[in-house]
Amino acid sequence: MLTITSTQFKQPFLVSNMDYFLSKNEFWNGENNTDIVAFEQFKTTHSQHCFLEIFPDGTSAVCFEITPENEISACFFGRMTETKITFYENGNTYFAVKIPAHFLFKQINGRPNTFVDRVSRLATYTDAFNQFDWPYFAVASFEQRITYFQAYVSEHFIYHENDLINYVLANQQNNEKSPTIKQLSKELGVSDRYIRSIFHRLIGISPKKMTQEIRLQFALSQLMDETNSITDMLQQTNFYDHPHLNKFFSSFTAYSPKALKRQASLAKQVPASHR
């Protein structure tokens, strides 16, 4: 049975530029099943505001921003199709929940493609958080925020899945050489046009773009592994050669794999007090 693996990928510039970065993979609604998502909490103590490059990783996210005065706001980061520059306020704490691509929600205010490559207020994206306890969440600890979020969404923001989408995404993650959409359509007995229409309607982007983001996510996670060389990563991600790898990266980022690995490494060497 094919399964969809939750992302272990952490944004390299986000991790390296924060005073602290907490991350925990937990169940979406607190129940012991396969719906694992990444919960992250981080804070910047830059002397100035922080603009960081965030790479497409196949996920969307709910992000809460808490000021030192415990004022709280929330936004929805739609799924990205290219690298974006994101603003982080000095001294504020951020709590983010990364939502996998196969999590589908009915309680949203618009079609999924409306929110692709956009950052919106959470209330613009969904009315599901109208009963959320904002004052409590603002002062809670990392673990308490996870527990409260899980309890809340289990009742107010329930996701569903689509078998066809799950099958396509699982094949992209579980095969060394991922099958094409045409190959998958033959296996499923449907047209590739039908698969594309399901992805556009329920996720907001094409299956090709979605599978490219999954591949980028895996490539970036391997690249950020300090024990891996670029050649190691090349072999693990089944690119034909270095030019093929460079071309793939250039379609998403302004960095070559070599430059990205060097920049991330340099950022990690800078003490937090000097960032």
Side-chain angles (χ1 to χ4, degrees):
M1 179 179 178
L2 294 174
T3 58
I4 300 175
T5 305
S6 297
T7 177
Q8 304 293 319
F9 173 68
K10 301 177 182 64
Q11 293 286 342
F13 292 118
L14 192 63
V15 174
S16 61
N17 281 276
M18 292 294 153
D19 187 55
Y20 73 83
F21 187 96
L22 305 175
S23 179
K24 188 174 185 180
N25 293 317
E26 270 282 359
F27 301 109
W28 168 260
N29 57 10
E31 298 178 1
N32 189 8
N33 49 35
T34 59
D35 58 351
I36 294 177
V37 300
F39 293 89
E40 298 176 344
Q41 183 165 295
F42 45 89
K43 179 179 181 180
T44 173
T45 55
H46 282 248
S47 58
Q48 298 181 340
H49 305 314
C50 191
F51 294 87
L52 299 176
E53 290 167 287
I54 303 298
F55 301 105
D57 63 2
T59 70
S60 53
V62 174
C63 185
F64 300 86
E65 181 178 16
I66 303 105
T67 70
E69 295 76 32
N70 293 325
E71 296 175 351
I72 183 170
S73 60
C75 62
F76 175 75
F77 282 78
R79 191 168 293 107
M80 297 188 302
T81 62
E82 58 186 16
T83 300
K84 300 291 185 183
I85 304 295
T86 304
F87 170 80
Y88 296 94
E89 181 81 31
N90 174 40
N92 287 357
T93 297
Y94 296 86
F95 178 90
V97 186
K98 298 173 73 171
I99 305 174
H102 64 290
F103 280 28
L104 310 174
F105 300 93
K106 294 180 180 178
Q107 312 108 297
I108 64 173
N109 301 324
R111 295 182 178 181
N113 63 352
T114 305
F115 302 99
V116 172
D117 285 321
R118 287 185 57 189
V119 179
S120 309
R121 293 179 58 191
L122 185 58
T124 301
Y125 173 66
T126 179
D127 298 324
F129 287 80
N130 287 346
Q131 299 179 50
F132 200 75
D133 191 342
W134 300 97
Y136 168 76
F137 203 77
V139 299
S141 68
F142 179 51
E143 294 289 346
Q144 288 171 333
R145 285 171 179 153
I146 292 175
T147 300
Y148 178 76
F149 184 91
Q150 290 172 321
Y152 186 88
V153 298
S154 68
E155 182 178 352
H156 299 282
F157 199 44
I158 302 169
Y159 76 92
H160 65 282
E161 300 182 45
N162 177 277
D163 290 341
L164 184 147
I165 288 175
N166 283 3
Y167 186 81
V168 172
L169 295 181
N171 267 279
Q172 299 302 312
Q173 290 187 332
N174 288 276
N175 283 277
E176 291 185 0
K177 294 186 177 179
S178 299
T180 65
I181 299 303
K182 281 188 176 291
Q183 290 170 330
L184 288 174
S185 69
K186 290 180 180 180
E187 291 180 17
L188 293 167
V190 298
S191 68
D192 56 332
R193 181 178 180 180
Y194 177 73
I195 293 178
R196 288 195 298 271
S197 70
I198 292 295
F199 268 76
H200 277 293
R201 179 166 61 88
L202 297 180
I203 293 184
I205 62 176
S206 70
K208 180 180 180 180
K209 179 65 73 172
M210 188 71 254
T211 55
Q212 284 179 333
E213 290 183 9
I214 290 174
R215 194 176 193 189
L216 177 67
Q217 175 197 123
F218 181 66
L220 284 168
S221 65
Q222 296 301 310
L223 186 67
M224 293 301 104
D225 186 340
E226 295 179 354
T227 65
N228 281 343
S229 67
I230 292 178
T231 300
D232 292 333
M233 189 268 278
L234 183 71
Q235 295 172 344
Q236 292 164 353
T237 51
N238 295 295
F239 287 96
Y240 304 126
D241 50 29
H242 285 278
H244 182 213
L245 177 66
N246 289 337
K247 183 179 179 181
F248 178 79
F249 264 71
S250 68
S251 66
F252 286 99
T253 82
Y255 295 92
S256 68
K258 183 178 180 180
L260 179 57
K261 193 171 182 70
R262 182 174 62 250
Q263 287 293 328
S265 177
L266 288 173
K268 287 181 179 180
Q269 296 173 17
V270 180
S273 61
H274 291 86
R275 292 178 191 151

